[in-house]
Amino acid sequence: MTTLEATGGAFELGRVMQRTFKVIGDNLGLFAISGLALIALPVFAASVVGFLYPEPWVIGLAGVAGGIVAFVGSLMMQGVVVHSAISGLNGRKIRLGEALGVGARKALPLLGLGILQSLGFALGFLLLIVPGLMLMTAWSVAAPVLVMEKRSIEASFGRSGDLTRGHRWSIFGLLVIYFVLAMIISAAVQGLAAAAGVTTAQSGFMTTTQAPSLVALAAVLVSALSTAVQGVISAAGAAAIYYELRTGKEGAAPDQLAAVFD
């Protein structure tokens, strides 16, 4: 079946998938620029520094600095994608400056949310995996709630649990689909890189004992771009799920959803 009946309406997998890739297509330029600026370039710049100054301590310090900047950038990217995706579904076009501003403001709350999610997932997976999967599904729209509804971290978890209740099997299926798609895209990117002479073993940050070659620099950029693409799919998918739950389960019309911008 492609729908799961619940209070307030039906949750349609096909419609959520369509919306996910529609918002990615509609915001491709914005997401590409944001991904390059926030994730790929910090990682690449750190490796270039190591290439120009091939001292072990320089390579190590640059790698740590680049990793921190890219991590913060990934949090901002999540806010950018969620805000832009839901705004687009609501018929509102977002400019790059506004999207980056939202991402910057929400980076710290998303960090707190991410840490608590990770701890919850880890504890759940220690308890024979199933509890972790249940939490992952129940909290799947916590980030969109935090970004769009201006709720606290704690309230975002509760709100996500309420929204997903009654639809979690369908949502879990979507999460699996998004994960598989992200892995396929990552493998395709790595395959293209390998065809060009860049192997996956060379991807990631440079070690502190070996200066990067030009091929290794290219591998770092490819790896960072692959990570950015996976992040976009994940965040856009969460945004589409959130929109489906608001409009279907709660019966919120697009003009009612616009209240999140007030």
Side-chain angles (χ1 to χ4, degrees):
M1 293 180 63
T2 59
T3 64
L4 178 63
E5 296 298 332
T7 303
F11 186 98
E12 297 189 10
L13 299 183
R15 185 166 57 202
V16 177
M17 290 288 294
Q18 182 183 30
R19 285 172 175 164
T20 298
F21 290 99
K22 181 182 185 301
V23 297
I24 292 175
D26 290 346
N27 297 278
L28 190 59
L30 188 154
F31 292 165
I33 294 172
S34 300
L36 281 171
L38 298 176
I39 300 176
L41 287 184
V43 175
F44 186 67
S47 294
V48 169
V49 170
F51 181 78
L52 296 175
Y53 304 97
E55 296 291 334
W57 70 271
V58 174
I59 297 173
L61 183 61
V64 171
I68 292 173
V69 174
F71 176 69
V72 174
S74 68
L75 295 172
M76 291 180 61
M77 186 70 186
Q78 187 177 15
V80 166
V81 174
V82 167
H83 183 73
S84 302
I86 296 175
S87 299
L89 291 171
N90 197 46
R92 183 171 180 266
K93 189 69 175 177
I94 297 297
R95 296 181 180 274
L96 178 62
E98 178 185 346
L100 291 175
V102 171
R105 291 194 300 273
K106 296 298 182 179
L108 190 58
L110 285 170
L111 172 61
L113 184 80
I115 290 173
L116 292 178
Q117 278 183 320
S118 298
L119 291 174
F121 296 161
L123 179 60
F125 283 119
L126 285 175
L127 300 174
L128 301 178
I129 299 180
V130 174
L133 295 175
M134 293 171 62
L135 284 177
M136 183 175 66
T137 305
W139 293 347
S140 59
V141 295
V145 167
L146 187 149
V147 172
M148 303 306 298
E149 298 186 15
K150 303 180 178 66
R151 295 174 184 262
S152 67
I153 294 174
E154 180 180 1
S156 295
F157 283 121
R159 170 70 165 155
S160 179
D162 291 339
L163 283 173
T164 58
R165 187 173 294 113
H167 296 301
R168 290 176 186 166
W169 278 113
S170 293
I171 293 171
F172 177 73
L174 274 172
L175 295 179
V176 172
I177 292 172
Y178 289 139
F179 175 78
V180 172
L181 285 174
M183 292 300 100
I184 291 173
I185 291 173
S186 177
V189 171
Q190 297 291 351
L192 290 173
V198 179
T199 63
T200 55
Q202 294 168 315
S203 64
F205 290 110
M206 300 300 102
T207 67
T208 59
T209 59
Q210 182 179 9
S213 65
L214 288 174
V215 172
L217 284 175
V220 170
L221 182 59
V222 168
S223 179
L225 288 173
S226 177
T227 299
V229 169
Q230 293 177 46
V232 167
I233 293 175
S234 175
I241 292 171
Y242 169 80
Y243 189 89
E244 176 76 3
L245 292 171
R246 288 294 314 275
T247 56
K249 186 173 183 178
E250 295 188 339
D255 58 339
Q256 294 174 301
L257 280 173
V260 298
F261 302 105
D262 298 335

